[in-house]
Amino acid sequence: MIKWKSYYIVIVFMVIGLILSFFLLTRQSDFYNSLEKINKNKSYNIQVKDAYNERGIYVLNNKYYINSATYVIGNHYGLSKDDAIWRPKDAEYLPRISDISAPFIIKKEIDNDTLTLKKGDKTILLLLVID
């Protein structure tokens, strides 16, 4: 008799877990669908106060997103930090936007694939990844 109660409890917890998982996935999906992608066809002048890397995208001010693989063109002036402990010592480090912490300003002109990122008195260029 105790054995059947154990199965019943496990099944109830599994159903509760599935319902909770579905709710959380739906809520997260709604958040990602509300973000605006920074693309080539628009101009932007964004004062970024908060930015974080989330599953291959860099979320800016919880409103915009950009591909995390948007690479720095030229010198990054020490603005990007390489936190990867897994990279071999002899491998080349290619700085990208997700390596730069907020706050900063992003500017982009219409029909241009180059972003200008200004942090403090330093300005760097980034190549927009077109998916």
Side-chain angles (χ1 to χ4, degrees):
M1 191 70 166
I2 295 175
K3 200 172 199 182
W4 286 105
K5 285 184 181 181
S6 299
Y7 288 132
Y8 178 73
I9 291 172
V10 169
I11 290 171
V12 168
F13 278 120
M14 287 176 63
V15 169
I16 291 171
L18 285 172
I19 292 170
L20 185 62
S21 297
F22 179 73
F23 171 74
L24 292 176
L25 287 173
T26 304
R27 186 170 174 187
Q28 186 171 2
S29 176
D30 291 344
F31 170 72
Y32 285 123
N33 289 334
S34 70
L35 295 175
E36 180 183 336
K37 179 180 180 182
I38 293 179
N39 61 47
K40 184 178 177 181
N41 302 328
K42 292 184 178 179
S43 66
Y44 297 93
N45 186 358
I46 306 168
Q47 176 73 39
V48 179
K49 296 177 182 173
D50 181 43
Y52 59 93
N53 197 18
E54 181 73 31
R55 297 183 185 170
I57 62 172
Y58 201 50
V59 180
L60 310 169
N61 294 340
N62 288 324
K63 183 176 180 184
Y64 302 98
Y65 77 93
I66 189 168
N67 190 320
S68 292
T70 302
Y71 290 102
V72 173
I73 303 171
N75 194 344
H76 61 93
Y77 303 107
L79 292 178
S80 63
K81 305 293 184 225
D82 183 16
D83 295 332
I85 58 173
W86 52 267
R87 188 183 298 41
K89 299 281 186 219
D90 58 343
E92 181 182 3
Y93 166 58
L94 299 172
R96 54 188 103 193
I97 192 166
S98 59
D99 297 330
I100 302 170
S101 61
F104 52 81
I105 297 172
I106 286 183
K107 292 184 180 181
K108 191 189 95 41
E109 301 298 324
I110 295 176
D111 291 330
N112 193 343
D113 62 353
T114 305
L115 297 166
T116 304
L117 187 145
K118 193 168 197 165
K119 184 169 180 163
D121 61 345
K122 298 176 182 170
T123 302
I124 60 174
L125 300 175
L126 299 114
L127 183 61
L128 185 63
V129 175
I130 313 276
D131 336 283

